[in-house]
Each structure stands twice: as C-alpha cells, then as structure tokens.
Amino acid sequence: MNVLLLGPQGSGKGTQAKRIADEYGAPHIATGDMLRATIQSDTPLGRKLKPILDSGRLVSDDLMIELIRNRLEEADAANGFVLDGFPRTWAQAQALDSMLREIGRDLNVVFALQVPDDVCTQRLLKRAREEGRADDTPEVIAERLGTYHRETEPLVDHYRTSGNLVGIHAGRSINEVFSEIQVALEQVAVR
Ligand code: ADP
C-alpha cells in the first residue's frame, strides 16, 4: 500500500501517518524527521539545513527529490510506504510522479487532511510548549502555514485529478480521524 498524506502543519499528519504505518507494517517516511536527523548529525549538510528549518522556509527541491529518491529505493519501502511531508511543491510532485512511474508503482490513496489555520496554530503552539521545537514560534508557524497554502495546497487538485484523493476532516480527535482514515484504507484494500 503506497499512501501519501497532505495537510497543513498542525493537521496531525505525522501522528496519523505513524498510526497508518504501524497498522499496515509500512515504513513512515517523514521528510521533516529525516531532515531533523541530518541536522542532529552535525555534518556540513546538517549545518546548511538548520537555518532553513528554523526559519520555516522550504529546503530546495533538488535536495528533497534526491533524498526521497534514495529513501524509496531502500528495501523496506519495496512493499509500500506512508509518505509524509513530500511532495510540498509542484516540482516535487512532478518528480514523485515520474519516480513512481519508473518503478511501476502508484499511489493507492492520497489523504488531504483539512483543518482551519487557527486550529493548526493552536495545536502547534501547544506542541511548542510541550516539545520545544525550534520552528514552532508564532512567526515561523505563520510562515509555514503561508507556504503551505501557496505551494502545497494546490497539489490537492493535482491528486484530485490524477489519484485517489480522500478528504479528511482532521479537526477532530486523533481516534476519530484515524477511524475515518481506516475506513478509506479498507475500501482501497478491497479494490
Ligand atoms: P511541519 O509540517 O510541521 O512544518 P515537518 O517536520 O514536516 O513539519 O517539516 C519541517 C521543515 O522541514 C519544513 O518547514 C521545511 O523547512 C522542511 N521540509 C520538510 N519537507 C520538505 C519538503 N518536501 N520540501 C522542502 N522542505 C521540506
């Protein structure tokens, strides 16, 4: 099962992606986690990435496409994956389409998690208090949500026409959202 999640920061995308991955035994490929791990490693690349993530701007398409290309080639992704955080731009979506075409695979389902900005902001500010993530300040949150609406949200339409897009009302509890996701995944599985 190849699953993609789209949704603004604070939509619970990462939480749901993890649950899908656990339930279906597929790797959770989260670009934000991968980038933060690179930053932790304190390499030249990590030092280059840190100010970009801290400011809420996007990492370059070339670098992200390379990162995902390598990750999808790893053995654990051979039977499926749950992709979270990629694609975020039109160029990345085009690259993903052609990568999947090359390896003869398709996205079985694309979830678009929908939550109003004010709810996202409240959730991220709460996460800032609990986890202290460097990019969860009010200014950077506003920057990331703006980038989402400008660059990433148009991809929902791309997948509406080309894939199996399922809209999810993600303003509810984690369990309620996951139930809705499971219903959709079961429909995909029997198809
Ligand atoms: P969030 O969705 O809450 O912003 P992520 O953990 O998914 O958090 O991403 C954190 C940061 O990593 C982003 O703000 C951006 O700088 C970078 N990033 C992650 N994925 C991508 C991507 N596909 N393209 C460009 N930058 C990315």
Side-chain angles (χ1 to χ4, degrees):
M1 186 106 76
N2 307 320
V3 178
L4 173 66
L5 287 100
L6 292 174
Q9 294 66 21
S11 61
K13 197 164 43 76
T15 304
Q16 298 297 334
K18 248 178 241 120
R19 287 191 65 167
I20 300 168
D22 287 347
E23 181 93 7
Y24 293 86
H28 173 209
I29 301 181
T31 50
D33 293 348
M34 292 166 76
L35 295 168
R36 281 186 291 275
T38 306
I39 290 173
Q40 286 300 319
S41 72
D42 198 27
T43 54
L45 177 60
R47 282 191 286 276
K48 193 176 130 196
L49 289 171
K50 185 169 170 18
I52 303 178
L53 267 78
D54 284 354
S55 69
R57 280 175 293 127
L58 292 181
V59 174
S60 78
D61 286 335
D62 287 350
L63 204 153
M64 292 310 302
I65 291 165
E66 181 68 18
L67 187 81
I68 286 297
R69 181 180 292 283
N70 291 333
R71 184 63 188 87
L72 291 181
E73 280 171 3
E74 282 178 39
D76 66 341
N79 293 319
F81 53 78
V82 182
L83 197 50
D84 162 11
F86 185 97
R88 260 179 157 91
T89 65
W90 182 250
Q92 292 179 16
Q94 295 298 310
L96 180 63
D97 285 352
S98 64
M99 274 181 240
L100 293 175
R101 237 189 336 266
E102 272 169 37
I103 53 177
R105 287 164 66 180
D106 249 330
L107 294 170
N108 301 95
V109 57
V110 177
F111 290 113
L113 273 56
Q114 285 143 353
V115 188
D117 276 6
D118 57 333
V119 176
C120 293
T121 304
Q122 290 314 315
R123 287 178 175 179
L124 293 172
L125 290 173
K126 181 162 172 276
R127 182 170 77 185
R129 289 193 295 273
E130 288 165 358
E131 297 173 22
R133 232 175 82 169
D135 59 351
D136 281 342
T137 63
E139 297 73 28
V140 178
I141 290 170
E143 168 80 23
R144 281 152 59 212
L145 287 173
T147 305
Y148 177 79
H149 291 303
R150 212 171 43 245
E151 306 266 0
T152 310
E153 202 168 29
L155 304 182
V156 173
D157 281 327
H158 171 65
Y159 290 112
R160 204 190 307 284
T161 51
S162 73
N164 303 315
L165 187 83
V166 178
I168 299 285
H169 303 289
R172 296 165 303 158
S173 75
I174 292 174
N175 285 335
E176 284 169 321
V177 174
F178 188 62
S179 305
E180 194 176 328
I181 286 179
Q182 267 184 313
V183 170
L185 287 172
E186 275 150 28
Q187 282 168 0
V188 171
V190 298
R191 248 191 248 147

